[in-house]
């Protein structure tokens, strides 16, 4: 495991505090997808989540985000991380089709907890500054993916959950998710990345979880 | 509950309404048409028109206002509901945003319906501040009721039918409170009891909304 980046005291984040998720079962659509889940992460960590399609990676991320995934789910988020908020960037970009990209991001930023970044800057980071006034419904799938990443950049979450973040991105944009993960971790946040494109995050992930056969296991080096 | 989050949700919802015109462009013209048909059906009897004017205007506002419960807005999309849940937006905040948005649309619909009713039914303002205050309370109550109904039936495929059916009967006390004000003032009584009726209905509805918010506005 690589050494975690120290975090400034000014940000009030203590490295000893850990995010913990424990559940006997995690459900998706009423069906148990994962069993005996016990996942923990420290501040400043980037954790890759690998596994075949339908193994439960997205369900794990939803549970980490605090969305309903069963009855006896215990989730503890370090207070400083919780204060900075949670961002789940999933398959659905969570953008309303009749609002422009800038309006969608303005809304997400207004709802987010903690310190927030600037929406124009976030759109510039992902190369969408010229499309800021375009309705999300008139954007391509790749643009929506980038807008989702811009949302995370603008909201500066303490817990960032990326679900297949490289899917649909063009060659020039493929490094954006890893850059976002690196910056979030550097600021003391916790990042989980569920991906089939492991090589895109090998340089940034501190460790990997393997999701398969209804179980989540720590991958041994 | 955060005022900033409520304001952001209301702003986005109203922005969406200005683009889609679900309530004002889709509902208001039909409300005006209904008033015209009602006025034309009473012949040229000005006295009768004046007698039924406020009731007709109130009923039209209630019936067409309840249609806003059938509207699928920003807060009804899975993406925005998930965004709210993940961002830690309290269910009460989401429901309050829904109530404020609905109230804004009802006030806008009222601004269209009232002048048309005054002209068509030859109404003269009776009741002054009593009428204005009771109307405001009635609109707030109707907005709360409409928001509650919209949330209750959000997951059903027959939302457009069921939501107004829930709203209309339960809002009768509010309509009654408003249309009884001019008559009460004309007969020299104080219409305080009607104002208090509207306030009491509002209190019951708001209490219900606060109590039910965690169940109604969670992620489905």
């Amino acid at each position: 495991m690589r050494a975690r980046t120290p975090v400034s005291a000014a940000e009030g984040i203590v490295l000893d505090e850990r995010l913990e998720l424990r559940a006997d079962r995690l459900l998706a659509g009423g069906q148990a997808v994962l069993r005996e889940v016990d996942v923990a992460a420290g501040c400043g960590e980037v954790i890759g989540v690998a596994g075949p399609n339908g193994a439960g990676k997205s369900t794990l991320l939803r549970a980490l985000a605090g969305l309903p995934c069963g009855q006896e789910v215990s989730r503890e988020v370090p207070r400083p991380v919780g204060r900075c908020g949670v961002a789940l960037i999933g398959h659905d970009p969570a953008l309303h089709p009749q609002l422009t990209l800038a309006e969608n991001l303005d809304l997400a930023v207004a709802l987010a907890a903690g310190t927030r970044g600037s929406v124009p800057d976030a759109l510039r980071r992902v190369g969408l500054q010229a499309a800021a006034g375009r309705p999300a419904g008139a954007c391509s799938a790749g643009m929506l993916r980038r807008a989702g990443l811009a949302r995370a950049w603008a909201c500066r979450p303490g817990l960032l959950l990326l679900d297949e973040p490289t899917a649909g991105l063009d060659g020039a944009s493929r490094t954006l998710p890893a850059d976002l993960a690196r910056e979030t971790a550097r600021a003391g946040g916790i990042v989980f990345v569920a991906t089939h494109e492991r090589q895109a995050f090998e340089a940034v992930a501190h460790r990997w979880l393997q999701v398969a056969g209804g179980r989540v296991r720590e991958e041994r080096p | 509950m955060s005022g900033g989050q409520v304001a952001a949700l209301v702003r986005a919802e109203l922005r969406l309404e200005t683009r889609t015109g679900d309530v004002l462009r889709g509902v208001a013209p039909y409300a005006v048409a209904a008033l015209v048909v009602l006025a034309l059906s009473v012949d040229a009897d000005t006295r009768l028109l004046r007698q039924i004017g406020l009731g007709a205007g109130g009923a039209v506002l209630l019936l067409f206002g309840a249609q806003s419960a059938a509207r699928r807005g920003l807060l009804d999309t899975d993406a925005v509901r998930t965004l709210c849940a993940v961002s830690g937006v309290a269910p009460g905040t989401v429901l309050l945003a829904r109530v404020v948005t609905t109230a804004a649309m009802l006030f806008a619909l009222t601004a269209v319906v009232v002048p048309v009713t005054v002209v068509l039914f030859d109404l003269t303002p009776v009741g002054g501040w009593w009428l204005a205050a009771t109307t405001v309370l009635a609109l707030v109550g109707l907005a709360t009721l409409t928001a509650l109904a919209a949330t209750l039936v959000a997951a059903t495929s027959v939302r457009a039918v069921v939501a107004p059916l829930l709203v209309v009967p339960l809002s009768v006390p509010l309509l009654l409170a408003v249309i009884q004000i001019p008559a009460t003032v004309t007969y020299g009584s104080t219409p305080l009891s009607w104002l208090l009726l509207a306030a009491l209905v509002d209190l019951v509805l708001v209490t219900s909304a606060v109590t039910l918010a965690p169940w109604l506005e969670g992620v489905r």
Side-chain angles (χ1 to χ4, degrees), chain A residues 39-63:
Chain A
V39 172
C43 297
E45 251 192 320
V46 177
I47 296 146
V49 181
N53 286 328
K57 300 189 296 295
S58 299
T59 304
L60 178 64
L61 293 195
R62 283 178 62 84

Side-chain angles (χ1 to χ4, degrees), chain A residues 1-24:
Chain A
M1 188 187 296
R2 293 171 354 151
R4 280 187 229 138
T5 311
V7 177
S8 73
E11 302 203 32
I13 296 181
V14 183
L15 287 173
D16 291 345
E17 289 196 66
R18 291 174 73 75
L19 176 147
E20 290 182 0
L21 177 78
R22 286 197 189 89
D24 283 343

Side-chain angles (χ1 to χ4, degrees), chain A residues 60-142:
Chain A
L60 178 64
L61 293 195
R62 283 178 62 84
L64 285 164
L67 294 172
C69 288
Q71 294 210 320
E72 287 173 22
V73 179
S74 152
R75 173 179 172 266
E76 282 177 34
V77 178
R79 205 174 301 155
V81 170
R83 268 205 301 269
C84 293
V86 180
L88 171 64
I89 311 296
H91 297 284
D92 182 339
L95 304 171
H96 195 284
Q98 281 163 317
L99 295 178
T100 66
L101 294 183
E103 288 166 353
N104 270 297
L105 263 63
D106 281 335
L107 175 64
V109 166
L111 297 180
T115 318
R116 303 152 203 176
S118 136
V119 168
D121 283 350
L123 285 170
R124 199 170 302 119
R125 283 300 292 266
V126 299
L128 286 176
Q129 65 274 28
R134 191 187 295 189
C139 293
S140 70

